[in-house]
Amino acid sequence: MYATQALPHLVPLAEELDKNKVTPGVLGFIVFAALAVGVWMLMKSMNRHMGRVDFEEEPAEPAPETVAGSAKRK
C-alpha cells in the first residue's frame, strides 16, 4: 500500500483533533529528553578529551629568508 492510498483513511482522524489544543505530547517530550541527554553526554566527553590535551606553545622560529627576498637591489 502506498502512502497516497493511506492518506484518505487518515483524514477523518485529523478532523477529530481540536485545532486549538494540539500539543507535542509524550513523544515530543521523549525526543526532546533524548536529544538533551545526548548533548549532555557529548559535552561531558568533550570536556574529558580536552582535559587530556597537553599543549605547550613553542616560540615561533623566524622564517628563513628566501632567495628572492635576500637579493639586494643596487
Side-chain angles (χ1 to χ4, degrees), residues 3-41:
T4 54
Q5 294 172 338
L7 287 177
H9 300 291
L10 297 176
V11 172
L13 295 174
E15 291 175 357
E16 294 175 9
L17 293 175
D18 182 12
K19 294 182 181 180
N20 295 325
K21 194 174 180 176
V22 176
T23 63
V26 176
L27 180 62
F29 175 75
I30 291 172
V31 169
F32 180 76
L35 287 172
V37 168
V39 168
W40 178 75
M41 289 172 59

Side-chain angles (χ1 to χ4, degrees), residues 23-66:
T23 63
V26 176
L27 180 62
F29 175 75
I30 291 172
V31 169
F32 180 76
L35 287 172
V37 168
V39 168
W40 178 75
M41 289 172 59
L42 284 172
M43 293 292 289
K44 190 173 179 179
S45 174
M46 182 190 68
N47 283 333
R48 192 178 322 123
H49 282 85
M50 292 299 288
R52 293 179 185 169
V53 174
D54 184 25
F55 178 74
E56 293 181 12
E57 187 173 349
E58 296 178 6
E61 296 178 11
E65 293 185 23
T66 60

